[in-house]
Amino acid sequence: MFTTRPTLQGTFGMVSSTHWLASQSAMAVLEDGGNAYDAAVAAGFVLHVVEPHLCGPAGEVPMILAPADAPVRVLCGQGPAPAGASIEHYTGLGLELVPGTGPLAAAVPGAFDAWLLLLRDHGTKPLADVLKYAIGYAEDGHAPVERVGETVANVRELFETEWTDSADIYLPDGEPPAPGRLFKNPALAATWRRLIAEAEAAGADRAAQIEAARQVWRTGFIAEALVAAAARPTMDTSGERHTGTLAAADLAAYEATYEAPVTYDWNGWTLCKAGPWSQGPVFLQQLALLPEDLAYGTPDYVHILIEGSKLAMADREAWYGDAADVPLDTLLSDGYNAARRALIGERASYELRPGSPDGRTPRLSRHATAVAAGDVDFDALGLAGTGAGEPTVARGGTGAGEPTVAKDGSTRGDTCHLDIVDRWGNMVAATPSGGWLQSNPVIPELGFPLGTRLQMAWLDPDLPNSLTPGRRPRTTLTPALALRDGVPVLAFGTPGGDQQDQWQVHFFLAVALREPVRGGLDLQGAIDAPNWHQDSFPGSFYPRAMVPGSVTVESRIGAEVIDELRRRGHAVTVGEPWSEGRLCAVARDPQTGVLSAAANPRGMQGYAVGR
């Protein structure tokens, strides 16, 4: 089968990420004797520098770890809502949705602490050794990808009139960053240099230095700057200036946490995801809904996957969230999914149909119900074309996994991804996101902004994903790890907001249902395969639009599939041939020790590297 690149194979180490500089930095750590977790931390901090429109230190990162000598674990770097982030506080400001930008949307930052916890518990390198790559690219400069400049250009007016600290960094010489010209962020480099100096003052012990750095983030100069930034009145997507709720006590109390993954067994595979504080179980529900006989790539195959995705996403809206006891065992049970599978007919559904696990009555937010009925006036929000029945502006351009940004800074949001496996068999999948350059003003003392993950929580009470102090807003971030006969063999993931657990299902099935190549999994072929997504559910990002019946496909999927989907009633939008998905993947064959990797060619910046 033709692929854009080969699936890499070797025995020393393999890396795949959404940016070549992150991939190569991670490989440099492996070459220097580090393990997969040292390499992941180095790559994560490089991504903050080279993809600042997609992730930042004050964002969030869930990870799935498969240590060579320990069980699979999830490391949660999704921070909770601050203590002051009550529904009453937001509705008292006249808001019906959490704004898509500004400090009101800032959760407690989780990414930094998660990366350092990973380094302390599973890595081998000192903090300075893994941060030197990010410091170098921020201090000496790097040639930015086109999307960085395009994102800045979209919010240029906002930067010049309101978020002037952002303009100081992202409009050097009055112009957005441009490919082929070095772009620098000296403030960020200075932040990490100061952090390292204060950490090393704790002594020569590696773990003590990492703990000291974590404390600097929680209570030191970084914490002080984060809290001060949250207290500044800032223009956001509501059209008003608001201050945030993040306080010193929130930062001081936060620690990233470990937990067991949610798993589902399918055809000899065990798929591992984060819990329903993420959308990860949507992936597992889609597998549970599949019939026994699947003919890969046929029109019927695509129709069944689309309709199963709609049912799983409807359950996400009604049942997932950190503010409730989620009936996950029932949602993944055979009986529940047999009944749900029977709802998939020959015609496309245009309804939002959550199930009733254990006889419970599903509840949706007022906004979700109104959006499903087409009763939300998105024109009034300044986002024309986002109502039901037509492709959305707010969620348009999502195929390559890049954010779509309006002039007020509102964005569907997006992210990065990395996967690494080392010669010892350690494996990690991580999906860093949030803290985007377009999410909040740059904090001048630090060189990066706050995040906006609270926009994913509802302002209606008593929902699983209601805004609740101390609880995590449900995130779209969803790395994946797969075991074969109980042994970890595959780590993968993608950017893409709500599309992540659609694209990943398509990728995984392409791996699982097609013939292997070169004696191993055809990772590159599965990534290159034509992809698609549906939008028949309320989006997770402001303004939370949906498009009942909508399916966006790459034109490469073929006329036969497109025509049959339309005959069955799907509202098909045919996108560019290479426009859906940004997957990364690494694998390890436990029988031979052969490692493999592949990366997405779409957007021309994701790369795998290894030997």
Side-chain angles (χ1 to χ4, degrees), residues 109-123:
F112 178 89
D113 197 65
W115 287 122
L116 265 65
L117 196 63
L118 178 68
L119 183 66
R120 186 197 73 181
D121 294 347
H122 298 279

Side-chain angles (χ1 to χ4, degrees), residues 50-74:
V50 300
E51 294 195 293
H53 60 312
L54 302 179
C55 72
E60 40 278 326
V61 57
M63 312 179 207
I64 302 185
L65 323 175
D69 57 355
V72 174
R73 301 288 283 172
V74 170

Side-chain angles (χ1 to χ4, degrees), residues 288-308:
L289 285 163
L290 293 177
E292 290 187 6
D293 297 324
L294 280 174
Y296 178 83
T298 64
D300 195 52
Y301 170 89
V302 177
H303 170 75
I304 288 171
L305 288 180
I306 292 169
E307 293 303 296

Side-chain angles (χ1 to χ4, degrees), residues 396-421:
T398 61
E402 297 285 357
T404 299
V405 187
K407 290 185 177 180
D408 64 357
S410 62
T411 173
R412 180 187 61 82
D414 219 318
T415 181
C416 309
H417 187 81
L418 63 90
D419 301 302
I420 304 176
V421 60

Side-chain angles (χ1 to χ4, degrees), residues 12-13 24-34 125 423 610-611:
F12 181 83
Q24 189 54 48
S25 297
M27 195 66 203
V29 174
L30 295 181
E31 296 284 2
D32 193 41
K125 294 285 189 180
R423 55 185 155 157
R611 68 172 179 87

Side-chain angles (χ1 to χ4, degrees), residues 457-476:
W458 295 112
L459 297 182
D460 293 27
D462 302 321
L463 297 173
N465 191 32
S466 295
L467 181 63
T468 307
R471 294 289 186 173
R472 294 166 289 190
R474 187 187 67 222
T475 180
T476 54

